DNA sequence: TTTTGTCTAATTGTAATACAAATAAAACAA
DNA sequence: TTGTTTTATTTGTATTACAATTAGACAAAA
């Protein structure tokens, strides 16, 4: 009945300046290292006080898009993507739907890792992975330390720094999402099995193995 | 000769306040809806001016972690993860390494989609996908519109909103990364072939099909 | 010539104050 | 119960003043 009704939002000045700056950055095709007008100039041009300008700029500094130094002024910088994501990725403040999505995202990424792994894996790396798998404490079914070590190494082998750092952020979310679900029963394919496949098996063997490894998670997904 | 020397980092007050607040949020176990102390109280407690407090808070507002209303004060809110990522994900300001990583990330996700797809796909959805594939203009090998429509639909079928929105953000990055590389030669498996597999084939058939579809990209990855 | 030191002007950073704007809550009226 | 007015509180904006940093100019020294 109340569908389509939006709360009337009145943007504050600093939010409007934020939008203006976003546009400005794009239209003027700013690149890393380019310097911005001074706060004073921005203030007079946009006809707002310097405090408003500074609050808007603070936001871009939070994203790592803008850096400032005294005397030099402000410059466009390249943001740390994963670092910024890490500032938001806390189970307590994300809604359940997003947490579930992220849970699934991790499954998707783990599955999809295979092809990249087979492009980048080396004998040395696989041996190191084997060592990790062998040293696992056989305690619980889902021991977070073991997971971090083993899967972390997998990501490392792909040589993709962003992916590796991102999965580190995803782990607490994953663990949290799991704690919300029923008891976990491990899959038939364990870490050591995956190592064996990496050593002797094909790309497709590995995909199938990883699917089996993650199978308990998939069975608990809702259709 | 200058190895191991780091620039002395000169944190501003507002950056220090930012860190303090981060800690504070975690330690006090803030949840969505919890309200924060007033700016004035924060200022007197942290012994800085209100402007500094406001600049720090602006940053959290940028991430969507904090919202404020007059008289009511400030509350913790749940951030829009993908929206925030979208504010950073612009080819012009990300470094090349990250762009390459994101390029690979998209490949990984596309590959990993299979299992989730087979959990969630319906006959109706596959028919809709088929329509999309049939309506493609046979123009260029990599027509961005065709890609968006087809792969976007795939993500939609997974029912994962975060993933769907995320891949939309990834597309420009993907296109940009591709423009940096040599001429693109399409893979042997086309969209229509993938549809056929989805209709009749197994999970593994689809994985193999998707790999072939993306094969030209993989061959251009560096070892 | 090259380095080192000093000064100057420009720019961001911080503080403090005043007031505007919104609004929840209370008090009051119908 | 419903509507109206008032009040007090909190965030939002503007302004001013000054502190802190530093690039660049220039001078002095080696």
């Amino acid at each position: 009945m109340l569908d389509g009704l939006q709360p009337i939002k009145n943007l504050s000045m600093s939010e409007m300046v934020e939008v203006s700056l976003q546009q400005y950055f794009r239209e003027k095709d700013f690149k890393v290292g380019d310097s911005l007008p001074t706060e004073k100039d921005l203030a007079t041009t946009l006809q707002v006080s310097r405090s408003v300008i500074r609050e808007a700029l603070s936001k871009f500094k939070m994203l790592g898009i803008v850096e400032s130094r005294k005397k030099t002024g402000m410059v466009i910088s390249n943001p740390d993507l994963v670092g910024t994501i890490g500032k938001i990725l806390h189970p307590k403040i994300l809604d359940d739907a997003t947490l579930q999505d992220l849970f699934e995202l991790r499954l998707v990424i783990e599955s999809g890792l295979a092809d990249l792994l087979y492009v980048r894996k080396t004998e040395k790396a696989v041996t190191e992975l084997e060592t990790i798998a062998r040293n696992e404490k056989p305690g619980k079914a889902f021991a977070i330390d073991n997971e971090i070590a083993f899967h972390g190494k997998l990501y490392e082998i792909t040589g993709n720094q962003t992916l590796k750092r991102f999965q580190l952020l995803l782990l607490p979310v994953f663990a949290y999402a799991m704690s919300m679900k029923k008891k976990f029963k491990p899959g038939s394919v364990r870490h050591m099995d995956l190592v064996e496949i990496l050593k002797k098996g094909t790309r497709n063997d590995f995909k199938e193995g990883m699917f089996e490894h993650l199978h308990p998670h998939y069975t608990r997904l809702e259709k």
Side-chain angles (χ1 to χ4, degrees), chain A residues 135-155:
Chain A
N135 287 343
E136 287 180 1
K137 303 275 178 292
K140 302 168 215 155
F142 185 82
I144 192 80
D145 293 345
N146 291 344
E147 296 298 313
I148 292 177
F150 185 83
H151 290 268
K153 183 66 185 178
L154 279 184
Y155 285 93

Side-chain angles (χ1 to χ4, degrees), chain A residues 173-207:
Chain A
V173 177
F174 195 77
Y176 178 82
M178 277 193 59
S179 73
M180 301 282 94
K181 295 172 190 284
K182 290 165 245 155
K183 195 163 178 300
F184 176 78
K185 186 169 162 299
S188 58
V189 171
R190 317 296 283 266
H191 287 167
M192 265 313 295
D193 303 321
L194 287 177
V195 174
E196 286 307 317
I197 298 175
L198 261 184
K199 285 162 77 172
K200 297 171 194 158
T202 67
R203 240 182 42 236
N204 284 333
D205 293 337
F206 188 82
K207 285 183 189 173

Side-chain angles (χ1 to χ4, degrees), chain A residues 85 88-108 166 169-181 217 221:
Chain A
I85 293 177
I88 327 181
L89 221 48
H90 303 297
K92 289 280 168 51
I93 57 169
L94 287 174
D95 57 299
D96 290 345
T98 302
L99 287 174
Q100 173 65 24
D101 284 352
L102 289 174
F103 179 83
E104 292 172 10
L105 174 57
R106 189 192 177 236
L107 293 181
V108 167
F166 184 59
L169 296 182
L170 232 39
L171 269 172
V173 177
F174 195 77
Y176 178 82
M178 277 193 59
S179 73
M180 301 282 94
K181 295 172 190 284
H217 299 301
L221 291 186

